[in-house]
Amino acid sequence: MNTIQDITDFIFIGKNIDELSHYDLLIINADWAEEQLAKDMRIMLDRNIIDEDTLFIICDSHQPDYGRSSAQVLIDCLKKENINNKIIIDDKYISNPEILRNIDKLVNVNDYNKILRIAKDFVARRWYMNAKRHNFPIDKCDFYGVYDNRNISKNDWYKSDVAVKQVMKEFINIGQLTIDDELSIK
């Protein structure tokens, strides 16, 4: 038994950039890693993972830069990368259950062939569990994780005390949501 590998396999189920296909809808949490995400999305555009017709839904989260929202920071970073796709911004942070319950207020997900959910790498398992609970079409979804300044990633989360604590908090969060019948392991 390898505890680190077992936890890694449970929590980090997103795809890396080399495993992504082509997506016509991105659901993005703008959340502390806007500059890196814009660079990743430039790579995605160059590799035809996204194209100029891919719709972006950006879920706002915080005011990191003198009152500018995280969505605006991300949009500015995307412009620097010459990415000018159509963007829908939700005016508040949308956590996993909220985006799944309220996505139909923004778009009809059934109109899209492939959907890429982008958020912090360590929330992938919870997102998929929530998606299943809310009958979101997970068969046409993939998850791509970004790393914030804590660098919590599949490959090295166990090397830093901060990262270990955050991953364990996520593990506990999933457990508590399951105990509260907000998530199901089935």
Side-chain angles (χ1 to χ4, degrees), residues 81-96:
E81 296 293 335
N82 199 26
I83 299 173
N84 299 299
N85 290 53
K86 181 180 177 188
I87 296 172
I88 297 173
I89 300 174
D90 190 44
D91 62 353
K92 64 182 181 350
Y93 179 72
I94 299 179
S95 64
N96 289 331

Side-chain angles (χ1 to χ4, degrees), residues 112 119 168:
Y112 297 90
M168 290 297 98

Side-chain angles (χ1 to χ4, degrees), residues 62-152:
H62 60 276
Q63 306 287 321
D65 187 11
Y66 305 103
R68 290 188 313 153
S69 71
S70 56
Q72 191 56 57
V73 172
L74 178 57
I75 290 167
D76 291 347
C77 292
L78 290 171
K79 287 179 182 176
K80 287 179 187 174
E81 296 293 335
N82 199 26
I83 299 173
N84 299 299
N85 290 53
K86 181 180 177 188
I87 296 172
I88 297 173
I89 300 174
D90 190 44
D91 62 353
K92 64 182 181 350
Y93 179 72
I94 299 179
S95 64
N96 289 331
E98 285 85 8
I99 190 65
L100 294 162
R101 282 192 296 259
N102 297 307
I103 191 77
D104 60 329
K105 295 174 184 164
L106 302 172
V107 296
N108 180 355
V109 292
N110 296 316
D111 291 344
Y112 297 90
N113 295 317
K114 288 289 285 182
I115 301 167
L116 184 62
R117 175 71 163 115
I118 300 175
K120 289 180 184 157
D121 201 25
F122 57 86
V123 301
R125 173 64 67 184
R126 181 166 38 103
W127 185 80
Y128 275 111
M129 290 174 77
N130 270 305
K132 184 176 180 183
R133 179 174 185 259
H134 293 283
N135 297 314
F136 195 81
I138 56 176
D139 58 317
K140 55 175 153 179
C141 295
D142 288 324
F143 187 98
Y144 178 73
V146 293
Y147 314 128
D148 61 16
N149 59 358
R150 298 171 295 176
N151 272 335
I152 302 172

